Amino acid sequence: MTLSYKQLLANITTFIFDVDGVLTNGMLTIMPDGELLRHMNVKDGYAMKTALNSGYRICIISGGTNEGVRKRLKVLGIEDIYLGAHNKIVQYQELVKKYDLKPENILYMGDDLPDIPVMQLVGLPCAPNDAAPEVQKIAQYVSYQKGGEGCVRDIIEQTMRVQQKWNTYFDAQI
């Protein structure tokens, strides 16, 4: 019998997120000096900080290399940030070994083809509403929100609600 994604949420202790297309809308603003600007949703940040404060582990694995992204995520308290990751399996395996994680305890949210190999290894693969069709096909949950528009908040809040941890500790300063 296959479990529903809601049932799988009960086992989640670790969230892994891609950046571009998940924490951002995937759009880049190119400045005259070549700097690439991204937009992140404050509600996603608040949910990540709340989850960290409640004892969840949050990790980032992204092919992008923007140091502004790293700074923002560090401000939230995220320690495991892998940027420039083009073969995301390597960083995933490092995290599993470092924290002795089990696949059923890991939720991964990705939006495009480079995310698929890791999504196939975790207990709960998820995607934003505007993810590539191939990603949505293997995701066990597709958020009603698009990347950069609250999909991270959506899945964190659902997980914490299932585990009765949502709305119990809101000192998330971001």
Side-chain angles (χ1 to χ4, degrees):
M1 182 175 141
T2 303
L3 298 177
S4 72
Y5 89 92
K6 282 279 192 185
Q7 291 169 309
L8 296 172
L9 290 175
N11 298 319
I12 299 303
T13 63
T14 302
F15 297 96
I16 303 175
F17 298 111
D18 178 31
V19 173
D20 293 321
V22 175
L23 287 169
T24 75
N25 65 3
M27 301 295 288
L28 296 173
T29 300
I30 304 170
M31 301 303 291
D33 65 359
E35 182 181 1
L36 302 176
L37 300 180
R38 292 160 170 86
H39 299 266
M40 291 186 169
N41 189 299
V42 173
K43 291 178 183 176
D44 287 344
Y46 186 79
M48 288 189 291
K49 182 66 174 167
T50 300
L52 287 166
N53 288 349
S54 297
Y56 293 90
R57 179 173 292 106
I58 296 181
C59 310
I60 304 298
I61 303 177
S62 175
T65 58
N66 186 285
E67 287 304 311
V69 169
R70 184 186 311 275
K71 286 179 184 176
R72 167 66 177 149
L73 296 171
K74 285 225 174 258
V75 165
L76 294 174
I78 299 170
E79 296 178 11
D80 295 297
I81 304 168
Y82 298 93
L83 302 181
H86 299 292
N87 178 4
K88 296 180 179 192
I89 293 284
V90 173
Q91 290 78 19
Y92 170 77
Q93 290 172 336
E94 184 178 317
L95 288 166
V96 167
K97 183 177 180 181
K98 180 178 179 179
Y99 296 111
D100 192 27
L101 299 173
K102 294 177 178 33
E104 62 267 20
N105 301 127
I106 304 170
L107 180 152
Y108 184 96
M109 182 174 271
D111 72 303
D112 212 343
L113 302 181
D115 298 306
I116 290 175
V118 176
M119 291 177 74
Q120 292 173 325
L121 298 176
V122 301
L124 185 53
C126 299
N129 183 276
D130 57 344
E134 298 89 344
V135 172
Q136 288 191 26
K137 184 176 179 180
I138 66 164
Q140 287 185 258
Y141 174 70
V142 176
S143 176
Y144 68 96
Q145 296 285 11
K146 294 179 180 179
E149 296 183 12
C151 63
V152 169
R153 164 74 177 253
D154 169 38
I155 198 60
I156 289 175
E157 183 175 338
Q158 284 194 61
T159 302
M160 293 180 73
R161 284 187 185 280
V162 164
Q163 296 180 18
Q164 299 181 341
K165 294 181 179 180
W166 185 254
N167 206 19
T168 60
Y169 182 74
F170 273 39
D171 188 25
Q173 299 175 10
I174 52 174

